[in-house]
């Protein structure tokens, strides 16, 4: 018996089912539910990518190339998430659900301040945290770190997706990447593998990907001296 997750959004009434193909769901529920729409991580329904008319960052302002920002995701981390989808990916996983994010010039360049405002707008959507996915977020480490520092100042829980493994990221011995990992609450790591996608269930695209909670991000041979536990504003 497959493990499935059924989520009813108490705000909108929408039902999301994870762990079943659309045909499997229909064979179970065709007599009580209307035909649904297939969604996946990094592939929201009817949310347009940012265009080139989006506000441009001033010279020297920390920024990121952003493909899309959306709210009310219940499939990309715990609870209800506001999501930043970064532009650009070089990994080319076979069967990737978001090939439109691959070009490095997709989406729009946005200042970190503008991104934070759009993610956390006071009149915006309720959320349990922010999810950052791609594309590949670690292609833009300086802007990513500046964004995470800004989000942590606002007490946001951060879930991060990457096509790289944690071991790969740690092996780079890169101070910026280590700071990013230190500010990440949940890392979902590894490339998408189509052959392993059937039983991935919630949050993951394929079963090779791991859901790694923050203490484990320090790594076996790391200590808080190397990856400081305390939040350090702006110190790149
Ligand atoms: S890392 Fe993500 S965006 Fe990049 S190719 Fe793989 S699945 Fe697609």
């Amino acid at each position: 018996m497959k493990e499935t997750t059924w989520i009813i959004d108490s705000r909108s009434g929408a039902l999301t089912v994870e762990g079943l193909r659309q045909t499997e769901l229909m064979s179970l529920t065709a007599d009580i539910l209307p035909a649904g729409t297939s969604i996946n991580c990094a592939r929201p329904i009817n949310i347009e990518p940012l265009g080139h008319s989006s506000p441009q960052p001033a010279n020297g302002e920390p920024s990121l190339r952003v493909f899309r920002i959306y709210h009310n995701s219940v499939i990309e981390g715990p609870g209800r998430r506001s999501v930043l989808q970064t532009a650009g990916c070089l990994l080319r996983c076979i069967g990737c659900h978001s090939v439109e994010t691959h070009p490095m010039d997709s989406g729009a360049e946005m200042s970190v301040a503008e991104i934070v405002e759009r993610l956390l707008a006071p009149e915006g959507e309720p959320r349990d945290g922010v999810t950052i996915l791609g594309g590949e977020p670690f292609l833009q480490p300086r802007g990513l770190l500046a964004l995470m520092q800004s989000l942590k100042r606002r007490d946001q829980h951060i879930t991060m997706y990457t096509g790289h493994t944690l071991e790969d990221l740690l092996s780079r011995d890169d101070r910026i990447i280590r700071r990013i990992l230190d500010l990440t609450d949940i890392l979902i790591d590894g490339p998408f593998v189509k052959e392993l996608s059937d039983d991935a269930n919630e949050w993951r695209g394929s079963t090779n990907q791991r859901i790694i909670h923050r203490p484990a991000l320090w790594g076996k041979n790391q200590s808080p001296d190397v990856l400081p536990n305390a939040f350090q504003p702006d110190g790149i």
Side-chain angles (χ1 to χ4, degrees), residues 89-93 96-99 101-102 134-136 162-163 190-192:
C89 184
L90 304 173
L91 293 175
R92 304 291 188 268
C93 306
C96 169
H97 293 295
S98 51
V99 289
T101 67
H102 292 182
E136 172 49 55
T162 174
F192 173 70

Side-chain angles (χ1 to χ4, degrees), residues 173-189:
D173 204 16
D174 182 309
R175 191 164 174 75
I176 294 178
I177 288 177
R178 291 185 172 202
R179 290 274 180 92
I180 291 169
L181 292 173
D182 191 45
L183 297 175
T184 301
D185 294 289
I186 296 176
L187 183 78
I188 301 175
D189 79 337

Side-chain angles (χ1 to χ4, degrees), residues 197-210:
S197 63
D198 262 2
D199 297 315
N201 211 342
E202 64 175 356
W203 305 355
R204 300 183 300 173
S206 50
T207 54
N208 61 300
Q209 295 172 330
R210 299 172 297 180

Side-chain angles (χ1 to χ4, degrees), residues 6-22:
W6 298 61
I7 304 163
I8 298 173
D9 187 333
S10 57
R11 189 160 172 260
S12 66
L15 169 67
T16 303
V17 180
E18 292 187 284
L20 289 175
R21 293 179 184 281
Q22 201 170 1

Side-chain angles (χ1 to χ4, degrees), residues 120-175:
L120 309 182
E123 70 280 14
E125 311 293 343
R127 75 187 61 76
D128 297 295
V130 169
T131 292
I132 302 172
L133 45 72
E136 172 49 55
F138 282 90
L139 275 177
Q140 306 181 70
R142 283 187 173 270
L144 183 59
L145 177 56
L147 171 68
M148 295 182 71
Q149 289 174 322
S150 187
L151 290 173
K152 279 299 174 194
R153 269 185 225 115
R154 291 157 178 81
D155 292 328
Q156 293 298 306
H157 178 281
I158 300 176
T159 297
M160 174 92 70
Y161 284 74
T162 174
H164 300 287
T165 61
L166 174 61
E167 290 77 4
D168 173 25
L169 293 172
L170 288 173
S171 73
R172 297 183 196 181
D173 204 16
D174 182 309
R175 191 164 174 75

